[in-house]
């Protein structure tokens, strides 16, 4: 069994045109069923924070309608790839610099993982670039020097189901 090389799940982030994209590395049989983007800094500072309040939620959507979204290619704030939007992008808060990304997954059972991205460290590409062919900032604690393509991210991360919920 593959064990992740780090003890927390990490996603990649890139900006294509004006759109922020997250690449969530998944294994065969793993699917995104919901995503929430929130202010990681503020939620971490709030004593007894209740995530169900969605107080610090930037965007929350569920039930992907596009196979690419279910496979981990997520345009943050774009609800057109989902059946249900619980929080419209930017309706609660502005896009935060330290963005927490919580993914609800179907891995044969329900599973949840979270990652944090630094918006300002996202590599920028012109509008129309293919999200599958760009490099993503990965693991922000590495001072933003680590940009990787999706295959490299997937190879290092392993399966989402191997991370604690």
């Amino acid at each position: 069994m593959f064990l992740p090389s780090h003890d927390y799940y990490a996603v990649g982030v890139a900006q294509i045109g004006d759109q922020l994209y997250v690449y969530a590395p998944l294994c065969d049989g793993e699917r995104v069923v919901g995503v929430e983007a929130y202010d990681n800094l503020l939620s971490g500072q709030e004593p007894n924070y209740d995530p169900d309040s969605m107080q610090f939620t930037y965007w929350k959507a569920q039930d992907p309608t596009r196979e690419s979204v279910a496979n981990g290619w997520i345009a943050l704030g774009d609800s057109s790839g989902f059946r249900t939007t619980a929080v419209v992008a930017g309706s609660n808060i502005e896009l935060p610099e330290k963005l927490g990304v919580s993914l609800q997954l179907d891995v044969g059972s329900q599973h949840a993982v979270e990652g944090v991205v630094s918006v300002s460290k996202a590599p920028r590409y012109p509008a129309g670039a293919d999200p599958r062919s760009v490099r993503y900032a990965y693991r922000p604690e590495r001072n933003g020097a680590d940009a990787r393509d999706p295959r490299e991210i997937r190879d290092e991360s392993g399966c989402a189901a191997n991370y604690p919920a």
Side-chain angles (χ1 to χ4, degrees):
M1 170 163 115
F2 175 82
L3 292 175
S5 59
H6 300 280
D7 60 355
Y8 71 94
Y9 187 75
V11 297
V13 62
Q15 185 170 335
I16 300 174
D18 293 333
Q19 182 66 59
L20 200 61
Y21 282 83
V22 164
Y23 170 63
L26 302 173
C27 286
D28 290 341
E30 297 181 335
R31 298 177 60 78
V32 172
V33 295
V35 61
E36 180 176 3
Y38 59 93
D39 189 318
N40 188 68
L41 187 61
L42 288 179
S43 66
Q45 293 174 347
E46 182 76 15
N48 303 316
Y49 175 61
D50 176 12
D52 292 334
S53 73
M54 294 188 275
Q55 177 182 359
F56 302 118
T57 299
Y58 169 73
W59 175 63
K60 184 174 183 177
Q62 296 171 293
D63 198 10
T65 57
R66 294 185 190 141
E67 197 63 23
S68 60
V69 173
N71 289 328
W73 303 93
I74 301 164
L76 280 178
D78 181 358
S79 295
S80 67
F82 293 87
R83 282 190 180 81
T84 306
T85 302
V87 177
V88 174
S91 64
N92 276 358
I93 63 168
E94 299 276 327
L95 182 67
E97 166 56 23
K98 293 290 185 194
L99 187 68
V101 178
S102 175
L103 301 172
Q104 292 73 48
L105 305 171
D106 179 350
V107 297
S109 61
Q110 294 299 308
H111 189 69
V113 291
E114 295 188 38
V116 178
V117 297
S118 181
V119 172
S120 65
K121 293 183 180 179
R124 300 182 191 286
Y125 299 93
D130 181 357
R132 297 171 195 265
S133 66
V134 302
R135 295 178 72 78
Y136 290 79
Y138 180 68
R139 299 208 181 266
E141 75 277 10
R142 294 182 179 168
N143 297 322
D146 199 3
R148 297 182 181 208
D149 68 36
R151 182 192 52 77
E152 292 169 322
I153 292 172
R154 169 59 187 81
D155 288 349
E156 182 170 328
S157 288
C159 299
N162 290 339
Y163 290 85

